[in-house]
Amino acid sequence: ACFLLLLFEAVTMDQLISDLGQIVGPRHVLTGTDMVRYSSDWLHQYQWQPRAIIRPATTEQVSEVVKLANRLKIPLVPMGGNTGLAGGTCGEAALVLSLERMAAIREIRPKSKVAIVEAGVILSNLHAAADAAKLLFPLTFGARGSATLGGVLSTNAGGSNVLRYGNTRDLCLGLEVVLPNGEIMNLMSELHKDNSGYNLKHLMIGAEGTLGIITAAVMKLQAKPKVYATAMIATTSLASALTLLNDLQHATGGAVEAFEYMPGFYMEQHQKLFPNASQPFAQVHDTNILVELASTSADLAAQDVTGQPKLMQHFETLLAAHLEAGAILDAVVAQNQAQRVAFWERREQAAEVTASHPRLVNNDIALPLESVAAFLDQMKTRLAEIDPQAEALVVSHLGDGNVHYAVWPASHDKAVQDDILEAVEDVTLSMGGSFSAEHGIGLTKLPSMRRRKNKAALQVMRAIKHSLDPNNIMNPGKVVPAAD
């Protein structure tokens, strides 16, 4: 369970429900058993009992709910698709504000390549809307069928295409935010350059609802690729994989969209959980890479007499050179969309594979690219010293240095599991990395923030939080640990 420090102004539950019903409509204030699906995170590591679930339909309704909560000093926890992995939506005795009804794609503007959307828009729905306009919204990951734009903005989510397009922060031009006092801050700019003072948009992105509630956004769209080239590749080492990445980038003018690492142990565990999945290779290799190239160039999409696009020809030629040099052990290039989808399913089912073990120490770290192999080597030694029977389940957005280093501990001892977490932090920070890459802080990484974040930076964060939210109603107890 999660716990929040609560200071309520005297008000009866019946009066509170009535007042909220006046704002959003009685049908959209949920209590009792109707709250069950809003009362646990995706991993089921946290369970909570909300005070009520509020489902506003407009920014103005969000504003009125926030004004009421601020006056009564009742905590508010915003919730999108509830696909987070760090406990950021835990709302014990709080008003959980679900933005699921605010799911309009207000406008797609093909000429300026922007989408104006509400925070409750499901990621895959934005993908479909962009595709219908012959454009691309590039942010993607396994939970795209339920994750919402407000959630991915609030955590500055990454996903599989960061290598080419950047994090969510890089894809956002403007925001609409309801501040802790209920005022609506309109930052819905479509400008690519705006140097007018503090960048409040970036302050809100990644704040996990602790500074305000994102209700709408202006998101960048991209030209839709005309051709893809996708392959599963087994290399001799991570060093060989990175050499391949650099060669691919150089040869294709930066056309690499994804470069995903799956070690042999992950491949084996995936096969156990999904026994009907076809295997790319006849044997299990230690270093497996899913690589995808894409191009908007009509020239690279043009096909030869065999029907093969020019991009695929370049791809296979370069792979053949690495294969001949001994750096690649095996490679399978997707010949159709079904094969491409099967390759991606294996990678995007990582969350299910990770959660399949009853004990989990979950880490989402970022490292310099050349340090990933050294990190894994050092952690192999450290993990064996702490919990000799523990197993590390690793997947990585290798192209941007984001490593999902999950540990399945053999020990039930919480102290041992804490030691594993601290060892990961030690090795990560010794290499100039970060203990948090794309999942957010929430509750899970509060101890890491307290231990590892620069003290001056924490003081600035606390000052910002107190200045904007003096009553501490906005997702309290998340992201920034309380002062000692």
Side-chain angles (χ1 to χ4, degrees):
C2 67
F3 301 94
L4 302 176
L5 179 62
L6 309 176
L7 295 171
F8 298 125
E9 184 176 300
V11 61
T12 67
M13 187 64 175
D14 287 345
Q15 184 62 54
L16 177 63
I17 298 302
S18 176
D19 290 346
L20 291 167
Q22 289 293 319
I23 298 172
V24 302
R27 292 190 305 114
H28 300 295
V29 181
L30 310 182
T31 57
T33 56
D34 291 335
M35 300 192 297
V36 170
R37 73 183 183 94
Y38 305 89
S39 301
S40 175
D41 68 321
W42 185 83
L43 285 173
H44 300 289
Q45 290 186 319
Y46 299 96
Q47 291 81 38
W48 58 89
Q49 184 65 32
R51 198 170 176 87
I53 310 300
I54 320 301
R55 301 172 65 244
T58 67
T59 299
E60 290 71 27
Q61 288 182 0
V62 174
S63 172
E64 292 304 314
V65 170
V66 173
K67 288 176 183 176
L68 176 63
N70 193 47
R71 189 178 77 244
L72 299 176
K73 299 182 176 62
I74 299 177
L76 272 173
V77 176
M79 182 179 288
N82 199 26
T83 60
L85 300 174
T89 56
C90 190
E92 182 68 31
L95 296 176
V96 172
L97 197 145
S98 169
L99 298 172
E100 60 194 328
R101 293 177 67 209
M102 296 181 63
I105 298 174
R106 295 177 184 172
E107 194 172 0
I108 300 285
R109 296 186 181 170
K111 290 184 178 180
S112 54
K113 294 182 183 174
V114 298
I116 301 172
V117 300
E118 293 181 344
V121 170
I122 293 173
L123 185 55
S124 60
N125 290 345
L126 181 53
H127 290 160
D131 185 71
K134 296 182 170 53
L135 292 168
L136 172 76
F137 183 66
L139 177 69
T140 187
F141 46 81
R144 60 185 176 274
S146 51
T148 64
L149 260 293
V152 300
L153 285 161
S154 293
T155 55
N156 188 30
S160 302
N161 292 341
V162 170
L163 175 62
R164 187 166 191 178
Y165 300 106
N167 292 310
T168 307
R169 187 186 301 278
D170 303 302
L171 299 172
C172 180
L173 291 173
L175 289 179
E176 178 184 79
V177 181
V178 176
L179 297 172
N181 62 2
E183 290 186 9
I184 300 170
M185 183 169 65
N186 188 337
L187 304 173
M188 293 287 281
S189 170
E190 297 177 35
L191 301 176
H192 288 258
K193 292 182 179 179
D194 183 355
N195 220 2
S196 55
Y198 297 148
N199 197 323
L200 300 177
K201 174 190 70 175
H202 284 313
L203 182 63
M204 295 297 164
I205 296 173
E208 300 183 42
T210 60
L211 302 178
I213 297 173
I214 295 171
T215 51
V218 181
M219 305 302 295
K220 297 179 189 177
L221 302 177
Q222 304 289 334
K224 185 179 177 181
K226 298 182 187 310
V227 60
Y228 288 94
T230 310
M232 282 295 300
I233 300 166
T235 64
T236 56
S237 65
L238 283 175
S240 296
L242 289 177
T243 299
L244 173 64
L245 171 60
N246 290 331
D247 287 353
L248 284 170
Q249 291 283 50
H250 180 73
T252 64
V256 182
E257 294 221 333
F259 203 78
E260 302 290 299
Y261 167 51
M262 291 169 280
F265 182 69
Y266 174 81
M267 302 288 278
E268 291 171 345
Q269 297 307 309
H270 181 274
Q271 181 68 12
K272 288 180 181 178
L273 194 62
F274 299 98
N276 295 325
S278 61
Q279 296 303 299
F281 307 124
Q283 65 184 85
V284 175
H285 296 284
D286 290 335
T287 306
N288 307 278
I289 305 293
L290 167 59
V291 59
E292 182 159 278
L293 282 64
S295 177
T296 61
S297 165
D299 178 59
L300 290 176
Q303 299 179 352
D304 63 14
V305 293
T306 68
Q308 188 179 59
K310 187 179 291 187
L311 179 66
M312 188 80 80
Q313 298 171 28
H314 290 339
F315 190 29
E316 291 186 348
T317 298
L318 197 145
L319 292 181
H322 280 252
L323 188 64
E324 185 176 349
I328 289 179
L329 301 174
D330 205 348
V332 180
V333 179
Q335 298 301 311
N336 51 52
Q337 180 64 9
Q339 285 185 318
R340 177 182 176 233
V341 169
F343 289 170
W344 273 109
E345 280 183 345
R346 177 176 291 100
R347 174 61 184 85
E348 291 181 339
Q349 287 163 340
E352 287 91 337
V353 177
T354 301
S356 66
H357 194 275
R359 293 177 300 281
L360 176 64
V361 178
N362 204 17
N363 297 279
D364 163 45
I365 65 171
L367 292 158
L369 269 63
E370 67 274 11
S371 298
V372 172
F375 167 83
L376 294 174
D377 286 343
Q378 287 196 30
M379 275 309 306
K380 184 176 182 179
T381 300
R382 293 287 295 272
L383 189 58
E385 294 169 350
I386 299 168
D387 187 354
Q389 302 305 312
E391 297 174 306
L393 186 87
V394 179
V395 291
S396 172
H397 306 299
L398 187 61
D400 61 57
N402 181 186
V403 179
H404 299 296
Y405 186 84
V407 176
W408 291 345
S411 174
H412 293 261
D413 189 340
K414 181 64 166 55
V416 171
Q417 296 174 19
D418 288 344
D419 287 345
I420 293 172
L421 181 62
E422 289 205 44
V424 172
E425 292 176 6
D426 284 343
V427 178
T428 300
L429 270 67
S430 73
M431 296 181 175
S434 170
F435 57 81
S436 180
E438 63 177 4
H439 291 166
I441 301 299
L443 289 174
T444 302
K445 296 178 185 174
L446 275 180
S448 300
M449 286 286 282
R450 184 182 297 280
R451 286 192 297 263
R452 307 294 184 173
K453 192 68 179 179
N454 176 267
K455 300 303 180 186
L458 284 177
Q459 290 173 2
V460 171
M461 291 180 190
R462 292 181 184 121
I464 292 171
K465 169 69 171 172
H466 180 73
S467 177
L468 293 179
D469 185 17
N471 290 327
N472 195 28
I473 65 161
M474 284 294 185
N475 210 4
K478 315 291 173 51
V479 182
V480 183
D484 295 329

